[in-house]
Short mmCIF file of all heavy atoms in Angstrom, two decimals:
data_model
loop_
_atom_site.label_atom_id
_atom_site.label_comp_id
_atom_site.label_asym_id
_atom_site.label_seq_id
_atom_site.Cartn_x
_atom_site.Cartn_y
_atom_site.Cartn_z
N MET F 1104 0.85 -1.17 0.00
CA MET F 1104 0.00 0.00 0.00
C MET F 1104 0.90 1.24 0.00
O MET F 1104 1.94 1.27 0.66
CB MET F 1104 -0.90 -0.07 1.23
CG MET F 1104 -1.33 1.26 1.76
SD MET F 1104 -2.45 1.19 3.16
CE MET F 1104 -1.28 1.14 4.48
N TYR F 1105 0.47 2.25 -0.74
CA TYR F 1105 1.23 3.49 -0.77
C TYR F 1105 1.04 4.27 0.52
O TYR F 1105 -0.08 4.46 0.99
CB TYR F 1105 0.82 4.37 -1.96
CG TYR F 1105 1.40 3.86 -3.26
CD1 TYR F 1105 0.63 3.12 -4.13
CD2 TYR F 1105 2.72 4.11 -3.58
CE1 TYR F 1105 1.16 2.63 -5.31
CE2 TYR F 1105 3.26 3.63 -4.76
CZ TYR F 1105 2.48 2.90 -5.63
OH TYR F 1105 3.02 2.42 -6.78
N VAL F 1106 2.14 4.73 1.07
CA VAL F 1106 2.12 5.58 2.27
C VAL F 1106 2.25 7.03 1.82
O VAL F 1106 1.55 7.90 2.31
CB VAL F 1106 3.28 5.20 3.21
CG1 VAL F 1106 3.38 6.17 4.36
CG2 VAL F 1106 3.11 3.79 3.72
N CYS F 1107 3.13 7.27 0.87
CA CYS F 1107 3.36 8.62 0.34
C CYS F 1107 3.08 8.60 -1.16
O CYS F 1107 3.84 8.02 -1.94
CB CYS F 1107 4.81 9.03 0.59
SG CYS F 1107 5.26 10.62 -0.15
N SER F 1108 1.98 9.22 -1.55
CA SER F 1108 1.63 9.23 -2.96
C SER F 1108 2.44 10.27 -3.73
O SER F 1108 2.59 10.16 -4.94
CB SER F 1108 0.13 9.44 -3.16
OG SER F 1108 -0.32 10.55 -2.46
N CYS F 1109 2.99 11.27 -3.06
CA CYS F 1109 3.81 12.27 -3.74
C CYS F 1109 5.07 11.64 -4.35
O CYS F 1109 5.48 11.98 -5.45
CB CYS F 1109 4.22 13.38 -2.78
SG CYS F 1109 2.86 14.38 -2.16
N PHE F 1110 5.68 10.70 -3.61
CA PHE F 1110 6.92 10.07 -4.07
C PHE F 1110 6.79 8.57 -4.29
O PHE F 1110 7.79 7.90 -4.55
CB PHE F 1110 8.05 10.37 -3.08
CG PHE F 1110 8.42 11.82 -3.06
CD1 PHE F 1110 8.02 12.63 -2.01
CD2 PHE F 1110 9.12 12.41 -4.09
CE1 PHE F 1110 8.34 13.98 -1.98
CE2 PHE F 1110 9.43 13.76 -4.09
CZ PHE F 1110 9.04 14.54 -3.02
N GLY F 1111 5.58 8.02 -4.19
CA GLY F 1111 5.36 6.61 -4.46
C GLY F 1111 6.03 5.67 -3.48
O GLY F 1111 6.49 4.59 -3.85
N VAL F 1112 6.08 6.07 -2.20
CA VAL F 1112 6.73 5.25 -1.17
C VAL F 1112 5.67 4.34 -0.54
O VAL F 1112 4.60 4.79 -0.16
CB VAL F 1112 7.40 6.13 -0.10
CG1 VAL F 1112 8.03 5.28 0.99
CG2 VAL F 1112 8.44 7.03 -0.74
N THR F 1113 6.01 3.06 -0.45
CA THR F 1113 5.06 2.08 0.09
C THR F 1113 5.37 1.75 1.55
O THR F 1113 6.46 2.06 2.05
CB THR F 1113 5.13 0.77 -0.72
OG1 THR F 1113 6.42 0.18 -0.54
CG2 THR F 1113 4.86 1.01 -2.19
N ASP F 1114 4.40 1.11 2.20
CA ASP F 1114 4.61 0.68 3.58
C ASP F 1114 5.76 -0.33 3.66
O ASP F 1114 6.52 -0.34 4.61
CB ASP F 1114 3.33 0.12 4.20
CG ASP F 1114 2.75 -1.06 3.45
OD1 ASP F 1114 2.98 -1.20 2.23
OD2 ASP F 1114 2.05 -1.86 4.09
N ARG F 1115 5.91 -1.14 2.64
CA ARG F 1115 7.01 -2.11 2.60
C ARG F 1115 8.36 -1.39 2.61
O ARG F 1115 9.28 -1.79 3.32
CB ARG F 1115 6.89 -2.99 1.36
CG ARG F 1115 8.08 -3.91 1.18
CD ARG F 1115 7.99 -4.69 -0.09
NE ARG F 1115 7.67 -6.05 0.26
CZ ARG F 1115 7.27 -6.95 -0.58
NH1 ARG F 1115 7.08 -6.65 -1.84
NH2 ARG F 1115 7.03 -8.18 -0.18
N GLN F 1116 8.47 -0.31 1.83
CA GLN F 1116 9.72 0.45 1.80
C GLN F 1116 10.00 1.10 3.15
O GLN F 1116 11.15 1.10 3.62
CB GLN F 1116 9.67 1.51 0.70
CG GLN F 1116 9.71 0.93 -0.69
CD GLN F 1116 9.44 1.98 -1.74
OE1 GLN F 1116 8.39 2.63 -1.72
NE2 GLN F 1116 10.38 2.15 -2.65
N VAL F 1117 8.97 1.63 3.80
CA VAL F 1117 9.14 2.24 5.12
C VAL F 1117 9.65 1.19 6.11
O VAL F 1117 10.60 1.44 6.86
CB VAL F 1117 7.82 2.89 5.63
CG1 VAL F 1117 7.95 3.31 7.09
CG2 VAL F 1117 7.45 4.08 4.76
N ARG F 1118 9.06 0.01 6.07
CA ARG F 1118 9.50 -1.07 6.98
C ARG F 1118 10.93 -1.52 6.67
O ARG F 1118 11.70 -1.81 7.58
CB ARG F 1118 8.53 -2.25 6.91
CG ARG F 1118 7.18 -1.89 7.51
CD ARG F 1118 6.33 -3.10 7.74
NE ARG F 1118 4.94 -2.76 7.97
CZ ARG F 1118 4.46 -2.26 9.09
NH1 ARG F 1118 5.25 -1.99 10.09
NH2 ARG F 1118 3.17 -2.00 9.22
N GLU F 1119 11.31 -1.55 5.39
CA GLU F 1119 12.68 -1.90 5.03
C GLU F 1119 13.66 -0.87 5.56
O GLU F 1119 14.72 -1.22 6.08
CB GLU F 1119 12.81 -2.03 3.51
CG GLU F 1119 12.15 -3.27 2.94
CD GLU F 1119 12.11 -3.29 1.43
OE1 GLU F 1119 12.57 -2.32 0.78
OE2 GLU F 1119 11.59 -4.29 0.88
N HIS F 1120 13.31 0.40 5.45
CA HIS F 1120 14.17 1.47 6.00
C HIS F 1120 14.24 1.38 7.51
O HIS F 1120 15.29 1.61 8.10
CB HIS F 1120 13.67 2.85 5.57
CG HIS F 1120 13.79 3.11 4.10
ND1 HIS F 1120 14.95 2.91 3.39
CD2 HIS F 1120 12.88 3.57 3.20
CE1 HIS F 1120 14.75 3.22 2.12
NE2 HIS F 1120 13.51 3.63 1.98
N GLN F 1121 13.12 1.00 8.14
CA GLN F 1121 13.11 0.84 9.59
C GLN F 1121 14.04 -0.30 10.00
O GLN F 1121 14.81 -0.18 10.95
CB GLN F 1121 11.68 0.57 10.08
CG GLN F 1121 11.58 0.44 11.59
CD GLN F 1121 10.16 0.16 12.05
OE1 GLN F 1121 9.35 -0.38 11.28
NE2 GLN F 1121 9.85 0.52 13.27
N GLU F 1122 13.98 -1.41 9.28
CA GLU F 1122 14.85 -2.54 9.57
C GLU F 1122 16.32 -2.18 9.37
O GLU F 1122 17.19 -2.73 10.04
CB GLU F 1122 14.48 -3.73 8.69
CG GLU F 1122 13.16 -4.36 9.07
CD GLU F 1122 12.69 -5.41 8.07
OE1 GLU F 1122 13.47 -5.78 7.17
OE2 GLU F 1122 11.53 -5.84 8.20
N ALA F 1123 16.58 -1.22 8.48
CA ALA F 1123 17.95 -0.78 8.22
C ALA F 1123 18.41 0.27 9.24
O ALA F 1123 19.55 0.73 9.18
CB ALA F 1123 18.06 -0.21 6.81
N GLY F 1124 17.51 0.67 10.17
CA GLY F 1124 17.92 1.57 11.23
C GLY F 1124 17.18 2.89 11.33
O GLY F 1124 17.34 3.62 12.30
N ALA F 1125 16.36 3.23 10.35
CA ALA F 1125 15.59 4.48 10.43
C ALA F 1125 14.48 4.29 11.46
O ALA F 1125 13.76 3.30 11.43
CB ALA F 1125 14.99 4.84 9.08
N CYS F 1126 14.35 5.25 12.38
CA CYS F 1126 13.32 5.08 13.42
C CYS F 1126 12.49 6.33 13.65
O CYS F 1126 11.69 6.36 14.58
CB CYS F 1126 13.97 4.59 14.72
SG CYS F 1126 15.17 5.70 15.43
N THR F 1127 12.64 7.35 12.82
CA THR F 1127 11.81 8.54 12.92
C THR F 1127 11.32 8.92 11.53
O THR F 1127 11.96 8.57 10.53
CB THR F 1127 12.58 9.73 13.50
OG1 THR F 1127 13.62 10.11 12.59
CG2 THR F 1127 13.17 9.42 14.87
N PRO F 1128 10.21 9.64 11.43
CA PRO F 1128 9.75 10.10 10.11
C PRO F 1128 10.82 10.93 9.40
O PRO F 1128 10.96 10.84 8.18
CB PRO F 1128 8.51 10.94 10.43
CG PRO F 1128 7.98 10.31 11.68
CD PRO F 1128 9.21 9.94 12.47
N ARG F 1129 11.59 11.69 10.14
CA ARG F 1129 12.65 12.50 9.52
C ARG F 1129 13.72 11.61 8.88
O ARG F 1129 14.22 11.89 7.79
CB ARG F 1129 13.29 13.42 10.56
CG ARG F 1129 14.33 14.34 9.95
CD ARG F 1129 14.82 15.34 10.93
NE ARG F 1129 13.76 16.32 11.14
CZ ARG F 1129 13.82 17.31 11.99
NH1 ARG F 1129 14.87 17.46 12.75
NH2 ARG F 1129 12.82 18.16 12.12
N GLN F 1130 14.07 10.51 9.56
CA GLN F 1130 15.05 9.58 8.99
C GLN F 1130 14.49 8.87 7.76
O GLN F 1130 15.21 8.65 6.79
CB GLN F 1130 15.50 8.57 10.04
CG GLN F 1130 16.34 9.20 11.13
CD GLN F 1130 16.62 8.26 12.29
OE1 GLN F 1130 15.88 7.31 12.53
NE2 GLN F 1130 17.69 8.54 13.01
N ILE F 1131 13.20 8.53 7.80
CA ILE F 1131 12.56 7.94 6.62
C ILE F 1131 12.59 8.94 5.48
O ILE F 1131 12.89 8.59 4.34
CB ILE F 1131 11.10 7.51 6.94
CG1 ILE F 1131 11.07 6.40 8.01
CG2 ILE F 1131 10.37 7.09 5.68
CD1 ILE F 1131 11.67 5.08 7.59
N ALA F 1132 12.31 10.20 5.76
CA ALA F 1132 12.32 11.24 4.73
C ALA F 1132 13.70 11.40 4.11
O ALA F 1132 13.82 11.61 2.90
CB ALA F 1132 11.86 12.57 5.33
N SER F 1133 14.74 11.28 4.91
CA SER F 1133 16.08 11.49 4.37
C SER F 1133 16.49 10.38 3.40
O SER F 1133 17.31 10.62 2.52
CB SER F 1133 17.11 11.62 5.50
OG SER F 1133 17.32 10.38 6.13
N VAL F 1134 15.91 9.19 3.54
CA VAL F 1134 16.27 8.11 2.63
C VAL F 1134 15.25 7.88 1.52
O VAL F 1134 15.56 7.21 0.54
CB VAL F 1134 16.53 6.78 3.39
CG1 VAL F 1134 17.74 6.90 4.27
CG2 VAL F 1134 15.32 6.33 4.17
N SER F 1135 14.04 8.43 1.66
CA SER F 1135 13.00 8.15 0.66
C SER F 1135 12.26 9.37 0.15
O SER F 1135 11.48 9.25 -0.78
CB SER F 1135 11.98 7.19 1.26
OG SER F 1135 11.22 7.83 2.26
N LYS F 1136 12.44 10.52 0.79
CA LYS F 1136 11.71 11.76 0.50
C LYS F 1136 10.27 11.75 1.00
O LYS F 1136 9.57 12.75 0.91
CB LYS F 1136 11.73 12.11 -0.98
CG LYS F 1136 13.07 12.52 -1.51
CD LYS F 1136 12.91 13.04 -2.92
CE LYS F 1136 14.23 13.56 -3.47
NZ LYS F 1136 14.03 14.11 -4.80
N ALA F 1137 9.79 10.61 1.51
CA ALA F 1137 8.41 10.54 2.02
C ALA F 1137 8.20 11.56 3.12
O ALA F 1137 9.00 11.66 4.04
CB ALA F 1137 8.11 9.14 2.53
N GLY F 1138 7.15 12.35 3.02
CA GLY F 1138 6.84 13.35 4.03
C GLY F 1138 7.44 14.71 3.78
O GLY F 1138 7.23 15.63 4.56
N THR F 1139 8.18 14.86 2.69
CA THR F 1139 8.85 16.14 2.45
C THR F 1139 8.12 17.05 1.47
O THR F 1139 8.53 18.18 1.27
CB THR F 1139 10.28 15.92 1.91
OG1 THR F 1139 10.22 15.23 0.66
CG2 THR F 1139 11.12 15.13 2.90
N ASP F 1140 7.02 16.57 0.87
CA ASP F 1140 6.30 17.42 -0.07
C ASP F 1140 5.06 18.00 0.60
O ASP F 1140 5.13 19.05 1.22
CB ASP F 1140 5.94 16.63 -1.34
CG ASP F 1140 5.48 17.52 -2.47
OD1 ASP F 1140 5.89 18.69 -2.52
OD2 ASP F 1140 4.69 17.04 -3.32
N CYS F 1141 3.95 17.29 0.57
CA CYS F 1141 2.73 17.84 1.17
C CYS F 1141 2.64 17.55 2.67
O CYS F 1141 1.95 18.24 3.40
CB CYS F 1141 1.49 17.33 0.45
SG CYS F 1141 1.03 15.63 0.85
N GLY F 1142 3.34 16.49 3.13
CA GLY F 1142 3.37 16.17 4.55
C GLY F 1142 2.21 15.36 5.08
O GLY F 1142 2.18 15.01 6.25
N SER F 1143 1.24 15.04 4.22
CA SER F 1143 0.06 14.31 4.72
C SER F 1143 0.37 12.88 5.13
O SER F 1143 -0.41 12.26 5.84
CB SER F 1143 -1.06 14.32 3.67
OG SER F 1143 -0.66 13.57 2.54
N CYS F 1144 1.52 12.34 4.75
CA CYS F 1144 1.83 10.95 5.08
C CYS F 1144 2.64 10.81 6.37
O CYS F 1144 2.88 9.70 6.84
CB CYS F 1144 2.62 10.31 3.94
SG CYS F 1144 4.19 11.11 3.60
N VAL F 1145 3.05 11.91 6.97
CA VAL F 1145 3.91 11.82 8.16
C VAL F 1145 3.25 11.04 9.29
O VAL F 1145 3.89 10.20 9.92
CB VAL F 1145 4.34 13.24 8.62
CG1 VAL F 1145 5.10 13.17 9.93
CG2 VAL F 1145 5.19 13.90 7.55
N ARG F 1146 1.97 11.26 9.52
CA ARG F 1146 1.28 10.52 10.59
C ARG F 1146 1.19 9.02 10.26
O ARG F 1146 1.28 8.19 11.14
CB ARG F 1146 -0.11 11.09 10.85
CG ARG F 1146 -0.04 12.43 11.54
CD ARG F 1146 -1.41 12.84 12.04
NE ARG F 1146 -1.35 14.16 12.62
CZ ARG F 1146 -1.20 14.39 13.92
NH1 ARG F 1146 -1.09 13.39 14.74
NH2 ARG F 1146 -1.16 15.61 14.38
N ARG F 1147 1.00 8.70 8.98
CA ARG F 1147 0.98 7.29 8.59
C ARG F 1147 2.35 6.66 8.82
O ARG F 1147 2.45 5.52 9.28
CB ARG F 1147 0.58 7.13 7.13
CG ARG F 1147 -0.93 7.21 6.95
CD ARG F 1147 -1.28 7.06 5.52
NE ARG F 1147 -1.08 8.41 4.93
CZ ARG F 1147 -1.34 8.75 3.69
NH1 ARG F 1147 -1.76 7.85 2.85
NH2 ARG F 1147 -1.17 9.97 3.28
N ILE F 1148 3.40 7.39 8.51
CA ILE F 1148 4.76 6.89 8.75
C ILE F 1148 4.98 6.69 10.24
O ILE F 1148 5.52 5.67 10.66
CB ILE F 1148 5.81 7.84 8.14
CG1 ILE F 1148 5.69 7.83 6.61
CG2 ILE F 1148 7.21 7.45 8.58
CD1 ILE F 1148 6.48 8.91 5.91
N GLN F 1149 4.56 7.65 11.05
CA GLN F 1149 4.68 7.50 12.50
C GLN F 1149 3.95 6.26 12.98
O GLN F 1149 4.44 5.53 13.84
CB GLN F 1149 4.10 8.74 13.22
CG GLN F 1149 4.96 9.96 13.09
CD GLN F 1149 4.29 11.20 13.66
OE1 GLN F 1149 3.07 11.34 13.62
NE2 GLN F 1149 5.10 12.12 14.16
N GLY F 1150 2.77 6.01 12.43
CA GLY F 1150 2.00 4.84 12.80
C GLY F 1150 2.71 3.54 12.44
O GLY F 1150 2.68 2.58 13.20
N LEU F 1151 3.34 3.52 11.28
CA LEU F 1151 4.08 2.33 10.86
C LEU F 1151 5.31 2.10 11.75
O LEU F 1151 5.64 0.97 12.07
CB LEU F 1151 4.52 2.45 9.40
CG LEU F 1151 3.43 2.29 8.36
CD1 LEU F 1151 3.96 2.67 6.99
CD2 LEU F 1151 2.90 0.87 8.35
N LEU F 1152 5.97 3.18 12.11
CA LEU F 1152 7.17 3.06 12.92
C LEU F 1152 6.85 2.65 14.35
O LEU F 1152 7.65 2.00 15.02
CB LEU F 1152 7.96 4.37 12.93
CG LEU F 1152 8.54 4.81 11.59
CD1 LEU F 1152 9.18 6.17 11.73
CD2 LEU F 1152 9.53 3.79 11.07
N GLY F 1153 5.71 3.04 14.85
CA GLY F 1153 5.32 2.71 16.21
C GLY F 1153 5.82 3.74 17.20
O GLY F 1153 6.72 4.53 16.92
N ARG F 1154 5.25 3.72 18.36
CA ARG F 1154 5.55 4.72 19.39
C ARG F 1154 6.98 4.63 19.89
O ARG F 1154 7.63 5.63 20.12
CB ARG F 1154 4.58 4.56 20.56
CG ARG F 1154 4.68 5.65 21.58
CD ARG F 1154 3.61 5.50 22.63
NE ARG F 1154 2.39 6.22 22.34
CZ ARG F 1154 2.26 7.54 22.48
NH1 ARG F 1154 3.28 8.25 22.86
NH2 ARG F 1154 1.12 8.12 22.25
N ALA F 1155 7.48 3.45 20.10
CA ALA F 1155 8.84 3.29 20.65
C ALA F 1155 9.78 2.75 19.58
O ALA F 1155 10.53 1.82 19.80
CB ALA F 1155 8.81 2.38 21.86
N ALA F 1156 9.72 3.35 18.38
CA ALA F 1156 10.52 2.85 17.26
C ALA F 1156 12.02 2.97 17.51
O ALA F 1156 12.78 2.11 17.13
CB ALA F 1156 10.14 3.59 15.98
N CYS F 1157 12.44 4.05 18.14
CA CYS F 1157 13.86 4.25 18.40
C CYS F 1157 14.23 3.62 19.74
O CYS F 1157 13.60 3.91 20.75
CB CYS F 1157 14.21 5.74 18.46
SG CYS F 1157 14.10 6.55 16.87
N PRO F 1158 15.26 2.79 19.77
CA PRO F 1158 15.68 2.22 21.05
C PRO F 1158 16.06 3.33 22.03
O PRO F 1158 16.78 4.25 21.67
CB PRO F 1158 16.90 1.38 20.69
CG PRO F 1158 16.85 1.19 19.21
CD PRO F 1158 16.07 2.35 18.67
N GLY F 1159 15.53 3.24 23.22
CA GLY F 1159 15.86 4.25 24.23
C GLY F 1159 15.18 5.58 24.04
O GLY F 1159 15.53 6.56 24.66
N ARG F 1160 14.18 5.65 23.14
CA ARG F 1160 13.49 6.91 22.88
C ARG F 1160 12.02 6.84 23.27
O ARG F 1160 11.21 7.57 22.75
CB ARG F 1160 13.59 7.28 21.40
CG ARG F 1160 14.96 7.58 20.92
CD ARG F 1160 15.52 8.84 21.46
NE ARG F 1160 14.69 9.97 21.07
CZ ARG F 1160 14.87 11.19 21.52
NH1 ARG F 1160 15.83 11.46 22.36
NH2 ARG F 1160 14.09 12.17 21.15
N GLY F 1161 11.69 5.96 24.21
CA GLY F 1161 10.31 5.89 24.70
C GLY F 1161 10.00 7.11 25.52
O GLY F 1161 10.85 7.98 25.74
N PRO F 1162 8.79 7.25 26.04
CA PRO F 1162 8.40 8.42 26.82
C PRO F 1162 9.32 8.69 28.01
O PRO F 1162 9.65 9.82 28.30
CB PRO F 1162 6.99 8.09 27.28
CG PRO F 1162 6.49 7.08 26.32
CD PRO F 1162 7.70 6.32 25.85
N ALA F 1163 9.78 7.65 28.70
CA ALA F 1163 10.66 7.85 29.86
C ALA F 1163 11.99 8.45 29.43
O ALA F 1163 12.56 9.29 30.12
CB ALA F 1163 10.88 6.52 30.59
N ALA F 1164 12.50 8.03 28.28
CA ALA F 1164 13.79 8.56 27.81
C ALA F 1164 13.69 10.04 27.48
O ALA F 1164 14.61 10.80 27.73
CB ALA F 1164 14.26 7.78 26.58
N VAL F 1165 12.54 10.46 26.93
CA VAL F 1165 12.35 11.87 26.61
C VAL F 1165 12.33 12.70 27.88
O VAL F 1165 12.94 13.76 27.96
CB VAL F 1165 11.07 12.07 25.77
CG1 VAL F 1165 10.78 13.54 25.58
CG2 VAL F 1165 11.19 11.35 24.44
N VAL F 1166 11.62 12.22 28.90
CA VAL F 1166 11.56 12.93 30.18
C VAL F 1166 12.96 13.03 30.79
O VAL F 1166 13.38 14.09 31.24
CB VAL F 1166 10.58 12.24 31.16
CG1 VAL F 1166 10.68 12.84 32.54
CG2 VAL F 1166 9.16 12.35 30.63
N GLU F 1167 13.71 11.93 30.76
CA GLU F 1167 15.08 11.95 31.30
C GLU F 1167 15.95 12.91 30.52
O GLU F 1167 16.75 13.64 31.08
CB GLU F 1167 15.69 10.54 31.23
CG GLU F 1167 15.10 9.58 32.22
CD GLU F 1167 15.63 8.16 32.03
OE1 GLU F 1167 16.66 8.01 31.34
OE2 GLU F 1167 15.01 7.23 32.55
N GLU F 1168 15.78 12.93 29.19
CA GLU F 1168 16.58 13.82 28.35
C GLU F 1168 16.29 15.28 28.70
O GLU F 1168 17.20 16.09 28.81
CB GLU F 1168 16.23 13.55 26.89
CG GLU F 1168 17.05 14.34 25.90
CD GLU F 1168 16.69 13.96 24.49
OE1 GLU F 1168 17.04 12.86 24.06
OE2 GLU F 1168 16.04 14.79 23.82
N GLN F 1169 15.02 15.62 28.91
CA GLN F 1169 14.66 16.98 29.25
C GLN F 1169 15.20 17.35 30.63
O GLN F 1169 15.67 18.46 30.85
CB GLN F 1169 13.14 17.16 29.22
CG GLN F 1169 12.58 17.09 27.82
CD GLN F 1169 11.07 17.05 27.81
OE1 GLN F 1169 10.42 16.85 28.83
NE2 GLN F 1169 10.49 17.22 26.64
N ALA F 1170 15.16 16.42 31.56
CA ALA F 1170 15.63 16.68 32.92
C ALA F 1170 17.15 16.86 32.96
O ALA F 1170 17.67 17.63 33.76
CB ALA F 1170 15.21 15.55 33.85
N SER F 1171 17.85 16.15 32.08
CA SER F 1171 19.31 16.24 32.11
C SER F 1171 19.86 17.31 31.18
O SER F 1171 21.07 17.51 31.12
CB SER F 1171 19.92 14.88 31.74
OG SER F 1171 19.60 14.57 30.40
N ALA F 1172 19.00 18.01 30.48
CA ALA F 1172 19.46 19.07 29.58
C ALA F 1172 20.08 20.20 30.40
O ALA F 1172 19.59 20.56 31.47
CB ALA F 1172 18.29 19.61 28.76
N PRO F 1173 21.20 20.75 29.91
CA PRO F 1173 21.83 21.83 30.65
C PRO F 1173 20.95 23.07 30.70
O PRO F 1173 20.18 23.33 29.79
CB PRO F 1173 23.11 22.11 29.86
CG PRO F 1173 22.88 21.53 28.51
CD PRO F 1173 21.88 20.43 28.67
N ALA F 1174 21.06 23.79 31.77
CA ALA F 1174 20.29 25.03 31.90
C ALA F 1174 20.78 26.01 30.86
O ALA F 1174 21.95 26.05 30.50
CB ALA F 1174 20.48 25.60 33.30
N SER F 1175 19.86 26.82 30.38
CA SER F 1175 20.24 27.78 29.34
C SER F 1175 21.11 28.88 29.95
O SER F 1175 21.05 29.16 31.15
CB SER F 1175 18.99 28.37 28.70
OG SER F 1175 18.23 29.04 29.68
N ALA F 1176 21.90 29.49 29.11
CA ALA F 1176 22.77 30.57 29.56
C ALA F 1176 21.92 31.76 29.97
O ALA F 1176 20.83 31.97 29.44
CB ALA F 1176 23.70 30.97 28.42
N PRO F 1177 22.35 32.55 30.92
CA PRO F 1177 21.56 33.70 31.35
C PRO F 1177 21.40 34.70 30.19
O PRO F 1177 22.29 34.84 29.36
CB PRO F 1177 22.38 34.33 32.48
CG PRO F 1177 23.73 33.72 32.40
CD PRO F 1177 23.60 32.43 31.64
N SER F 1178 20.26 35.33 30.16
CA SER F 1178 20.03 36.32 29.12
C SER F 1178 20.89 37.55 29.38
O SER F 1178 21.46 37.72 30.45
CB SER F 1178 18.54 36.71 29.07
OG SER F 1178 18.21 37.41 30.26
N VAL F 1179 20.96 38.42 28.41
CA VAL F 1179 21.78 39.64 28.53
C VAL F 1179 21.28 40.47 29.70
O VAL F 1179 22.07 41.02 30.46
CB VAL F 1179 21.73 40.44 27.21
CG1 VAL F 1179 22.44 41.77 27.34
CG2 VAL F 1179 22.32 39.63 26.08
N ALA F 1180 19.96 40.55 29.87
CA ALA F 1180 19.39 41.34 30.97
C ALA F 1180 19.78 40.75 32.31
O ALA F 1180 20.07 41.50 33.26
CB ALA F 1180 17.87 41.42 30.84
N GLU F 1181 19.81 39.41 32.43
CA GLU F 1181 20.17 38.78 33.69
C GLU F 1181 21.66 38.94 34.00
O GLU F 1181 22.06 39.05 35.13
CB GLU F 1181 19.82 37.29 33.65
CG GLU F 1181 18.34 37.01 33.63
CD GLU F 1181 18.06 35.52 33.45
OE1 GLU F 1181 18.95 34.77 33.05
OE2 GLU F 1181 16.91 35.14 33.71
N ALA F 1182 22.47 38.97 32.95
CA ALA F 1182 23.92 39.07 33.14
C ALA F 1182 24.35 40.47 33.55
O ALA F 1182 25.38 40.66 34.16
CB ALA F 1182 24.64 38.66 31.85
N ALA F 1183 23.55 41.47 33.21
CA ALA F 1183 23.92 42.86 33.49
C ALA F 1183 23.69 43.28 34.91
O ALA F 1183 23.16 42.77 35.76
CB ALA F 1183 23.14 43.80 32.57
#
């Protein structure tokens, strides 16, 4: 079945790219162009990839990543 009609990308191709290591719609786009024209297929690609497609990128990993992010530098007004 076609996932991206703009570039003729099928669900089989998306799964092949996923097996080769692509785990986000952006990574799929970089190898197939799917999602880079009208964008209507991005949600379908997300659905095919699944919620925890990237190892270590589940909801808990995102929360940990945000918590461990360095504090932003003080603004010019705060530094003065």
Side-chain angles (χ1 to χ4, degrees):
M1104 152 177 88
Y1105 284 100
V1106 173
C1107 175
S1108 52
C1109 295
F1110 293 105
V1112 178
T1113 65
D1114 58 334
R1115 174 184 253 166
Q1116 290 171 303
V1117 171
R1118 292 193 195 285
E1119 288 172 358
H1120 293 310
Q1121 182 180 25
E1122 289 171 10
C1126 61
T1127 65
R1129 184 173 287 176
Q1130 290 172 336
I1131 296 294
S1133 71
V1134 294
S1135 69
K1136 291 189 176 183
T1139 62
D1140 193 28
C1141 77
S1143 67
C1144 61
V1145 174
R1146 288 191 184 265
R1147 279 179 278 183
I1148 293 169
Q1149 287 173 329
L1151 287 171
L1152 295 175
R1154 187 174 268 284
C1157 290
R1160 294 291 299 173
V1165 173
V1166 171
E1167 288 174 16
E1168 184 177 288
Q1169 291 171 348
S1171 65
S1175 61
S1178 67
V1179 174
E1181 292 175 344

